[in-house]
């Protein structure tokens, strides 16, 4: 089917491979540098040979000197919390917008779209002050509640639940299902794929969010991975090997998760943009 | 009856929206007319905005925010388009591998990526500095001056965010009808002509969408410049969002930071509104 356009652009492909190599370069540095003794990373010339002079010392030292596991656990708690709450909010609101009529619907949906266009960072200070007055600062539950940004999910769920066949809902109504039963018994089970997409996207974006967690968290026991890694690399500014080791360890869990869930990314990214 | 249920379903969203979006929005505006710090709050009228007009840090950060935008937006829009177009004739394996590798920085902890990039660009011991000085160039501190730091940080931002846009473009190109290209081929159109005369105009709507998200994203750049240069020297690589953070959390000037935040909000809102208007006006349909 595609055969007509199969002529590959050779120059373009070479440039593309160079681009991918540039993108991969920091990962290569992490992967090799994490296993090098520090002196060979500040020496002249820098030794990045992946086959010689390797050591496990950096890795074991990172686990000794940092709370890496705790940061990871905190990041998972926060990200899962945000993702689950986002899915609940997105599906209920999306369902309401797509399958029900009520006064003020257009205005409310315009507000959803407005929050999609205006990311939460522009409200950094007032959001922090509100969180502070509610006693949410420096607690994991506070980070969860204040991170939720369901606009994209609402948009997605509205489109998806809107595309479900009407007959299903009519039939359920004839069988005596109320509004709640229709939602729980029909909309929820049929929307599992888009719920998965929303779940995964909000999980990853929360996991890698930096600014809001930086503002909210100061207690060491509440630190998440991005904050902990930054702190650790500042405390060990002169030890490049140790920094690269923690960078590598911070990258691996999400990289594995990403590769396992790749299909969702390819579907989810296009959900908002390409529609019929 | 049904309308009642509609509102019940909206309650979770409305609660989050009101408490963590709408209320802070108004609170932020009010705050910008006060000299708030964490424990006190006093009305000072327009003083924060007057101070803003004469503030070197504000104008410098505004200028570098625009510089970041100027570099990042076109690259964010057109680099993944070029990649998607180059990838398209390749087989499935090459497509999936490239997409995954290009997306990977987007799901990587930015703090970790920065450690890797700093290894290359750090002032004295950085890899690139070493290589260049070995080749006989004079010592360059890439991150210590805005003229090199802003392009480098922008490039990091672009490379980190390319995955999403690439996937969007790939899906859009895949959905174009093959017959158009077959007809063009028969008429003897070159690959270049096929791209500019068929692919590019047909992707118009997708490009506009990417452009809008890229613009809004570029106005919010924070983590990479914060961790690479911390805004220095003397705010020349700082963005407005970084200045908001700096004023509030390093100097405890929450009122003043709110005023800068209001300006950033207005700029973002204006840009979003203009783009929205433009998009809804010239919708090209094929």
């Amino acid at each position: 089917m595609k055969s007509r356009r199969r002529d590959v652009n050779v120059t373009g492909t070479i440039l593309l491979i160079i681009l991918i190599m540039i993108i991969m370069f920091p990962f290569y540095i992490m992967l090799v540098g994490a296993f090098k003794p520090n002196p060979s990373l500040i020496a002249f010339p820098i030794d990045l040979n992946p086959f010689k002079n390797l050591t496990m010392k950096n890795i074991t030292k990172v686990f000794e000197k940092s709370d890496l596991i705790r940061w990871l656990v905190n990041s998972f708690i926060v990200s899962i919390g945000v993702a689950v709450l986002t899915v609940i909010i997105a599906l209920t609101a999306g369902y309401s917008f797509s399958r029900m009529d009520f006064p003020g619907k257009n205005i409310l949906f315009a507000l959803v779209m407005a929050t999609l266009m205006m990311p939460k960072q522009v409200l950094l200070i007032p959001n922090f002050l509100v969180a502070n007055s509610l006693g949410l600062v420096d607690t994991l539950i506070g980070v969860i509640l204040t991170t939720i940004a369901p606009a994209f999910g609402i948009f997605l769920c509205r489109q998806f639940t809107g595309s479900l066949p009407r007959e299903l809902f009519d039939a359920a109504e004839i069988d005596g299902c109320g509004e709640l039963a229709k939602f729980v018994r029909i909309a929820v089970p049929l929307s599992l794929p888009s719920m998965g997409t929303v779940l995964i996207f909000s999980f990853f974006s929360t996991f890698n969010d930096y600014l809001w967690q930086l503002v909210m968290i100061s207690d060491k026991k509440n630190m998440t991975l991005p904050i902990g890694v930054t702190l650790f690399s500042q405390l060990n500014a002169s030890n490049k090997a140790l920094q690269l080791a923690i960078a590598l360890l911070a990258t691996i869990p999400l990289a594995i998760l990403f590769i396992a869930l790749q299909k969702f990314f390819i579907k989810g990214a296009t959900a908002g943009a390409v529609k019929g | 009856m049904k309308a009642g249920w509609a509102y019940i379903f909206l309650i979770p969203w409305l609660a989050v929206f009101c408490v963590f979006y709408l209320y802070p929005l108004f609170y932020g505006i009010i705050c910008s007319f006060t000299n708030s710090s964490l424990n006190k709050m006093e009305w000072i009228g327009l003083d924060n905005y007057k101070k803003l007009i004469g503030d070197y840090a504000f104008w410098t950060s505004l200028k570098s925010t625009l510089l970041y935008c100027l570099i990042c937006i076109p690259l964010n829009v057109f680099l993944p388009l070029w990649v998607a177009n180059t990838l398209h004739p390749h087989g499935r394996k090459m497509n999936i591998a490239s997409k995954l590798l290009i997306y990977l920085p987007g799901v990587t902890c930015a703090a970790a990526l920065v450690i890797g990039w700093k290894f290359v660009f750090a002032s004295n011991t950085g890899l690139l500095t070493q290589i260049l000085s070995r080749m006989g160039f004079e010592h360059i501190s890439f991150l210590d001056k805005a003229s090199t730091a802003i392009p480098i940080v922008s490039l990091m931002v672009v490379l980190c965010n390319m995955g999403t846009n690439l996937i969007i473009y790939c899906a859009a190109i895949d959905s174009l009808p093959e017959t158009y290209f077959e007809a063009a081929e028969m008429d003897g159109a070159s690959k270049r002509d096929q791209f500019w005369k068929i692919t590019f105009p047909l992707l118009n709507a997708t490009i506009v969408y990417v452009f809008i998200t890229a613009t809004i994203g570029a106005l919010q750049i924070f983590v990479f410049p914060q961790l690479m240069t911390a805004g220095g020297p003397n705010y020349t690589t700082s963005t407005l969002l970084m200045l908001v953070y700096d004023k509030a959390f390093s100097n405890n000037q929450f009122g003043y930071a709110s005023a800068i935040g209001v300006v950033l909000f207005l700029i973002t809102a204006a840009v979003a509104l203009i783009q929205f208007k433009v998009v809804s006006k010239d919708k090209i349909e094929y």
Side-chain angles (χ1 to χ4, degrees):
Chain A
M1 191 182 106
K2 276 190 184 177
S3 58
R4 276 265 160 205
R5 277 194 278 168
R6 269 273 155 83
D7 326 319
V8 171
N9 177 349
V10 178
T11 333
T13 307
I14 293 169
L15 287 175
L16 175 64
I17 290 169
I18 293 174
L19 179 74
I20 292 178
M21 281 163 71
I22 295 173
I23 294 176
M24 284 300 110
F25 195 59
F27 295 101
Y28 174 76
I29 295 173
M30 283 178 212
L31 200 59
V32 177
F35 299 101
K36 290 276 178 188
N38 191 45
S40 62
L41 293 176
I42 16 181
F44 184 93
I46 291 173
D47 166 26
L48 281 173
N49 183 337
F51 302 110
K52 265 193 233 154
N53 196 13
L54 301 178
T55 163
M56 278 302 284
K57 245 173 72 189
N58 302 316
I59 306 287
T60 50
K61 224 169 165 186
V62 164
F63 281 107
E64 275 167 35
K65 285 179 73 174
S66 78
D67 286 328
L68 188 67
I69 300 295
R70 159 156 256 163
W71 300 337
L72 253 176
V73 170
N74 283 346
S75 268
F76 268 98
I77 293 173
V78 168
S79 310
I80 290 171
V82 171
V84 168
L85 288 173
T86 305
V87 167
I88 294 171
I89 294 172
L91 192 66
T92 48
Y95 177 78
S96 179
F97 281 123
S98 73
R99 303 218 72 99
M100 292 171 161
D101 269 315
F102 53 92
K105 179 172 165 177
N106 290 337
I107 297 169
L108 287 175
F109 192 66
L111 287 177
V112 174
M113 295 309 285
T115 59
L116 189 62
M117 306 285 278
M118 302 292 299
K120 266 190 143 171
Q121 290 96 304
V122 294
L123 298 172
L124 181 72
I125 302 301
N127 257 330
F128 175 78
L129 293 174
V130 169
N132 190 43
S133 64
L134 294 174
L136 294 174
V137 171
D138 216 3
T139 62
L140 290 183
I141 187 85
V143 178
I144 293 173
L145 287 174
T146 49
T147 303
I148 301 166
F152 179 72
I154 295 177
F155 185 71
L156 206 78
C157 289
R158 171 180 167 267
Q159 274 195 324
F160 190 81
T161 51
S163 71
L164 297 174
R166 203 199 150 87
E167 291 76 18
L168 282 175
F169 293 91
D170 288 345
E173 205 167 303
I174 292 165
D175 289 345
C177 278
E179 293 298 330
L180 193 62
K182 277 199 282 183
F183 176 74
V184 175
R185 298 221 181 123
I186 301 176
V188 173
L190 289 177
S191 302
L192 288 176
S194 30
M195 285 162 78
T197 304
V198 175
L199 193 81
I200 287 164
F201 268 76
S202 40
F203 176 87
F204 275 84
S205 69
T206 309
F207 207 100
N208 290 326
D209 181 27
Y210 177 73
L211 175 56
W212 186 244
Q213 292 170 15
L214 177 69
V215 166
M216 286 289 278
I217 298 166
S218 46
D219 194 330
K220 261 198 148 170
K221 72 176 200 308
N222 289 330
M223 279 193 181
T224 53
L225 196 63
I227 310 304
V229 168
T230 311
L231 179 79
F232 185 82
S233 81
Q234 281 161 357
L235 290 177
N236 296 284
S238 57
N239 193 336
K240 291 191 173 185
L242 220 50
Q243 289 186 42
L244 290 171
I246 200 162
L248 179 70
L249 291 170
T251 303
I252 288 172
L254 274 215
I256 292 172
L257 213 56
F258 165 65
I259 289 168
L261 300 168
Q262 44 166 302
K263 280 199 179 117
F264 279 94
F265 281 89
I266 291 172
K267 229 175 31 191
T270 56
V274 191
K275 55 177 181 94
Chain B
M1 175 62 200
K2 202 166 173 178
W5 274 104
Y7 293 121
I8 291 171
F9 280 122
L10 281 177
I11 285 175
W13 170 67
L14 275 171
V16 171
F17 174 72
C18 291
V19 179
F20 298 119
Y21 205 101
L22 200 59
Y23 173 61
L25 179 60
F26 289 110
Y27 193 72
I29 295 170
I30 291 167
C31 234
S32 73
F33 297 107
T34 69
N35 64 353
S36 296
S37 59
L38 262 190
N39 34 30
K40 67 176 172 77
M41 192 169 176
E42 208 171 277
W43 189 264
I44 54 165
L46 282 170
D47 280 8
N48 283 329
Y49 291 94
K50 283 182 195 145
K51 188 172 155 197
L52 210 62
I53 292 170
D55 189 353
Y56 162 85
F58 170 72
W59 291 108
T60 315
S61 304
L62 181 62
K63 193 182 125 201
S64 26
T65 306
L66 296 179
L67 277 175
Y68 284 116
C69 286
L70 222 59
I71 304 175
C72 289
I73 298 168
L75 281 175
N76 263 332
V77 173
F78 293 109
L79 192 60
L81 177 60
W82 173 79
V83 173
N85 192 54
T86 311
L87 265 182
H88 187 258
H90 282 279
R92 197 168 158 269
K93 271 184 193 154
M94 170 79 176
N95 261 282
I96 289 180
S98 308
K99 279 181 203 166
L100 286 184
L101 292 179
I102 291 174
Y103 207 114
L104 187 62
V107 293
T108 305
C109 177
L113 266 183
V114 164
I115 293 173
W117 283 120
K118 261 198 171 164
F119 191 88
V120 180
F121 293 113
S123 287
N124 290 310
T125 48
L127 186 64
L128 193 61
T129 321
Q130 263 206 18
I131 292 170
L132 286 179
S133 68
R134 215 178 185 200
M135 285 162 68
F137 289 95
E138 61 177 303
H139 185 89
I140 311 167
S141 308
F142 292 101
L143 299 177
D144 295 345
K145 51 177 192 283
S147 58
T148 46
I150 289 185
I152 286 171
V153 173
S154 302
L155 200 67
M156 289 169 54
V157 173
V158 170
L159 293 183
C160 182
N161 294 324
M162 225 167 77
T164 319
N165 293 343
L166 174 65
I167 287 169
I168 292 172
Y169 282 133
C170 283
I173 290 179
D174 280 342
S175 72
L176 297 179
E178 201 62 27
T179 45
Y180 294 180
F181 296 91
E182 281 165 13
E185 194 94 358
M186 292 224 239
D187 290 344
S190 68
K191 288 284 160 207
R192 181 187 297 254
D193 280 343
Q194 287 180 31
F195 176 76
W196 286 110
K197 304 246 164 75
I198 304 175
T199 313
F200 191 76
L202 284 174
L203 290 188
N204 194 292
T206 313
I207 293 169
V208 168
Y209 170 85
V210 170
F211 177 68
I212 292 174
T213 52
T215 311
I216 292 166
L219 285 168
Q220 316 298 328
I221 291 173
F222 181 86
V223 57
F224 287 111
Q226 177 75 22
L227 293 179
M228 290 294 278
T229 69
N234 207 3
Y235 296 106
T236 46
T237 59
S238 166
T239 64
L240 279 181
L241 190 56
M242 287 161 73
L243 188 65
V244 171
Y245 173 78
D246 178 68
K247 290 292 173 201
F249 297 98
S250 308
N251 300 315
N252 198 16
Q253 298 176 327
F254 281 84
Y256 189 48
S258 297
I260 303 168
V262 169
V263 173
L264 178 61
F265 185 90
L266 290 177
I267 293 174
T268 316
V271 170
L273 216 66
I274 292 168
Q275 291 181 331
F276 222 68
K277 279 262 158 67
V278 172
V279 175
S280 46
K281 206 188 278 175
D282 61 32
K283 247 203 178 135
I284 303 175
E285 297 276 351
Y286 288 90

